Amino acid sequence: MTYVLFADDHADTRGMVRDIFEASGYEVLAVADGSAAMRAVLEREPDLLVLDLNMPGLSGLEVCRQIKANPFTAHVPVLMLTAQGEIEVKVEGFEAGADDYLAKPFDPRELRARASALLRIVRREGDRNPTTGLPGGRAIEQELERRVLRGETFAVAYIDLDNFKAFADTFGFTEADRVIRETGAAMRAACNATGGPGAFVGHIGGDDFLLILDPAHAEPTARAAAERFRAVVAGVVGEQVVARGTFEGHDRDGNPRQFPIARLAVVILMVEPARWVSPTHLGVRAAELKRRAKQQGAGTLLTGAV
């Protein structure tokens, strides 16, 4: 059964939305604020998250940002509800990662229709990333659970591309898509070369990748992936630009400036099955280390444990 999590600080609205979704055959959990919504997501990942924009404490926008920043919950569709219809508010919501927006007061039929549309999109995307052909969210979670059930310590390498937005803005969608596609191939090649038996490569989405492998092979494979990624970027901008480490682009005001070349940032987590909580918990830990890695500069590799 489809599970919907809804957060709104008004009891009447919670009751109305619960009734709408339950009448459509959904399982619904309605909570009163953003903090409760975050706790609920960590306990059980919803198929759809519906958030009121303005709530005391943790706002809907902040909940959305945190959900989308976590690689293991970023795929959860988020529908924002708000009494504010200004375009600036909607833009802020979309920039926080919201997938759709609905202004209050709303027609129950439109709420049902928008929810159904978001769920169809997620299901249509399936478990294979269309750009790289690599396993996606559900397949990654199943592989993690399979390893936990085996009871053996394993490593998860979370990999993303530092400085990729400026690269994509400068060289265009076609080249950016090519880099993502070839990066997926580079991940597979690195695992085939140094990952050991049973190494798993997944594509969480966007420029986020994930490797699951034996702990002894994690760091060598991550470094091999970084070398292969360097060759991918060189294929677009040339060896001289990669060696220099910067390329010329334009900032938001249209002024020319030098941007650093995109590089891999890697976070490696050692997972002890006895201490396993959930893929979402793993994602929270990965996001924490990722922030530390970015603070230390592009191309950083950090290790931790779960």
Side-chain angles (χ1 to χ4, degrees), residues 115 121 181 188 200 207-208 274:
I121 290 170
R181 183 173 61 254
R188 289 195 299 267
F200 175 93
D207 60 358
D208 294 323

Side-chain angles (χ1 to χ4, degrees), residues 127-137 139-140 180-181 183-188 200-204 208-211:
D127 283 339
R128 288 276 168 181
N129 185 278
T131 301
T132 61
L134 292 172
I140 291 171
I180 294 295
R181 183 173 61 254
T183 298
M187 299 296 109
R188 289 195 299 267
F200 175 93
V201 186
H203 187 174
I204 299 168
D208 294 323
F209 295 85
L210 180 140
L211 314 180

Side-chain angles (χ1 to χ4, degrees), residues 147-160:
R147 303 259 180 162
V148 169
L149 289 174
R150 281 167 46 182
E152 301 172 0
T153 299
F154 60 94
V156 176
Y158 172 62
I159 300 172
D160 76 345

Side-chain angles (χ1 to χ4, degrees), residues 131-132 161-162 164 167-168 171-187 203 206-207 209 228-237 262-264:
T131 301
T132 61
L161 280 55
D162 272 339
F164 190 63
F167 181 96
F171 294 97
F173 171 80
T174 300
E175 291 296 347
D177 200 53
R178 170 188 164 191
V179 168
I180 294 295
R181 183 173 61 254
E182 293 184 2
T183 298
M187 299 296 109
H203 187 174
D207 60 358
F209 295 85
R228 291 177 184 272
F229 177 72
R230 184 185 187 282
V232 169
V233 175
V236 176
V237 302
R263 298 173 66 184
L264 292 191

